[in-house]
Amino acid sequence: MRLSKVLKIIVITCIVFSCGNSSKAIKANFSIQSNAKKNIISNAEMLKLSITNPNNKSIDSVRFTLNNTKISEQLDLRTIALGEKMLKATVFFEGKKEIALQKVIVVNSASPKLYSYELVNTYPHDITSYTQGLEFYNGTLYESTGQYGESKLRALDYQKGKILKNINLSPSYFGEGLTVLNDKIYQLTWREGRGLIYDVNTFEALGSFNYGQSKEGWGLCNDGKQLYKTDGSENIWILDPNTLEEKRFVQAYTNKGKLANLNELEWVEGKIFANRYQKNGVAIINPENGAIEAVLDFKDLKAKVTNHPGLDVLNGMAYNSKTKTLFVTGKRWDKIFEVKIIPAQ
């Protein structure tokens, strides 16, 4: 046998034995014990934590964190945003340190209420518009439309169905949601990772901004101070109004779990209205903790528009703060509906 073959056999044998020895996992001495059932707990409860110590190690101290924020052994969840969290326990014992991890999901304490609506008025809408975003600003209705090669930014006279201003986006951009803040229009693109900025009066391009962790652009709104953005998941990202950086996010949750595919957003009297892609419903969300407090069903509206081969789903909401009414349309709908929201009794 050649020397080279012998060396190969020795090397392979060493690797096999080495791998075999390294596969022996070190058993953890500690784990996190909580009152979350199957790792799920309501935000109306008090989260109670302790450490299991089956090997009876002499523990000096334990430090708990929730998403890297220090917490005590009991935590009032009413002050915590909903969603998936990571519990971490750092255990100091016998001159050593060991870390235990556990996922916990905080859900809302109450199920969503069912709101209804009253149809107030119907207005004409461009049947070719693949509507992605809709918003009022100083009495004018602004619209963003999608599809590669068709995407537009528009200012509308909604009562007459007239287009006051229009610019076409580059064919490489798929337009998504929009919002207007401090005389600037912010328009998202879908998978291009970039938002576009315009002067609201002239539609002059002022610049652009890149997305962060959110990757895609879906819906956009603002509360007069900061921007809120969706990316097709359950996350609603909060953007700094000056830098457009994603500061943090809240997760949309009911009492049972998360609500993904959040799309078009609208800020309505301190709440976020979010429609869900390919659905007829709208979730009414608490922006502080992500709780879905109520839902609206607009499925009857689609039956009132002209049926044609290009007709698509509900999308586009704009709140008129003067009339206290919501304007709703969809992708390639020939009508915009003005509705009054009726809260549950």
Side-chain angles (χ1 to χ4, degrees):
M1 185 181 291
R2 291 184 180 181
L3 179 60
S4 61
K5 289 186 177 179
V6 174
L7 290 174
K8 286 181 181 179
I9 292 172
I10 292 172
V11 169
I12 293 171
T13 304
C14 290
I15 291 172
V16 171
F17 277 102
S18 174
C19 291
N21 291 335
S22 64
S23 66
K24 294 179 181 179
I26 300 174
K27 292 184 178 180
N29 292 298
F30 311 101
S31 62
I32 299 173
Q33 183 73 29
S34 77
N35 58 328
K37 297 177 181 178
K38 295 182 179 180
N39 294 345
I40 300 174
I41 188 168
S42 159
N43 66 339
E45 297 183 62
M46 183 79 69
L47 179 64
K48 299 177 181 179
L49 303 173
S50 60
I51 290 293
T52 59
N53 182 13
N55 298 321
N56 294 317
K57 297 292 184 179
S58 179
I59 297 176
D60 299 317
S61 63
V62 180
R63 184 176 65 214
F64 289 106
T65 61
L66 184 72
N67 283 4
N68 297 319
T69 299
K70 188 177 180 181
I71 60 173
S72 62
E73 293 179 357
Q74 294 193 34
L75 177 65
D76 187 349
L77 294 175
R78 291 177 299 178
T79 62
I80 300 297
L82 306 182
E84 188 174 304
K85 315 288 181 184
M86 182 57 69
L87 279 170
K88 177 180 176 181
T90 304
V91 184
F92 299 90
F93 69 105
E94 300 173 358
K96 303 175 185 178
K97 181 176 73 172
E98 187 174 306
I99 292 174
L101 300 173
Q102 181 181 299
K103 181 177 75 173
V104 63
I105 298 172
V106 183
V107 298
N108 198 29
S109 59
S111 58
K113 296 178 180 178
L114 180 60
Y115 284 10
S116 58
Y117 67 91
E118 174 189 339
L119 182 59
V120 177
N121 240 318
T122 303
Y123 304 99
H125 181 244
D126 182 0
I127 199 170
T128 68
S129 288
Y130 195 80
T131 306
Q132 300 288 72
L134 208 63
E135 187 166 297
F136 277 102
Y137 187 75
N138 292 339
T140 300
L141 187 61
Y142 294 88
E143 180 181 35
S144 171
T145 74
Q147 294 292 348
Y148 291 109
E150 298 180 31
S151 297
K152 302 174 180 67
L153 173 65
R154 288 176 163 178
L156 305 175
D157 179 340
Y158 68 90
Q159 292 178 319
K160 297 179 180 180
K162 290 186 177 180
I163 300 167
L164 303 176
K165 289 192 187 72
N166 178 92
I167 58 170
N168 298 326
L169 273 63
S170 164
S172 62
Y173 285 150
F174 191 117
E176 285 283 350
L178 93 165
T179 196
V180 191
L181 179 64
N182 297 330
D183 288 341
K184 292 180 181 178
I185 299 173
Y186 299 90
Q187 183 182 28
L188 300 177
T189 62
W190 182 24
R191 291 178 170 171
E192 291 68 58
R194 176 174 293 182
L196 309 174
I197 309 172
Y198 311 86
D199 181 281
V200 72
N201 298 306
T202 64
F203 278 19
E204 176 188 357
L206 299 178
S208 63
F209 61 97
N210 295 325
Y211 305 159
Q213 298 179 61
S214 63
K215 306 301 180 187
E216 293 187 355
W218 286 48
L220 199 63
C221 73
N222 76 84
D223 63 0
K225 296 179 181 179
Q226 55 192 2
L227 278 63
Y228 299 82
K229 173 183 180 292
T230 53
D231 59 4
S233 69
E234 70 276 14
N235 296 334
I236 300 176
W237 298 83
I238 292 88
L239 277 59
D240 184 284
N242 298 312
T243 65
L244 284 308
E245 293 180 356
E246 296 163 358
K247 298 189 295 183
R248 59 187 178 88
F249 63 85
V250 294
Q251 301 173 73
Y253 268 73
T254 67
N255 57 316
K256 294 183 178 180
K258 66 183 179 182
L259 193 69
N261 292 328
L262 297 180
N263 196 11
E264 155 77 328
L265 299 179
E266 184 68 13
W267 185 267
V268 182
E269 304 292 338
K271 305 294 181 182
I272 293 175
F273 281 42
N275 89 296
R276 194 178 181 194
Y277 182 56
Q278 296 287 2
K279 302 294 181 181
N280 296 307
V282 169
I284 300 173
I285 303 169
N286 183 328
E288 297 297 323
N289 64 359
I292 299 172
E293 299 179 341
V295 292
L296 276 160
D297 187 355
F298 285 126
K299 65 182 178 182
D300 292 341
L301 292 182
K302 190 174 182 180
K304 298 180 185 296
V305 302
T306 299
N307 192 6
H308 63 99
L311 185 66
D312 212 321
V313 296
L314 171 85
N315 205 46
M317 296 178 292
Y319 182 66
N320 189 326
S321 59
K322 292 184 179 179
T323 60
K324 306 293 183 183
T325 53
L326 188 70
F327 288 65
V328 182
T329 190
K331 302 174 187 291
R332 307 199 198 284
W333 288 20
D334 65 345
K335 295 180 178 67
I336 296 176
F337 300 98
E338 181 182 5
V339 301
K340 180 181 179 181
I341 306 304
I342 304 173
Q345 299 297 320

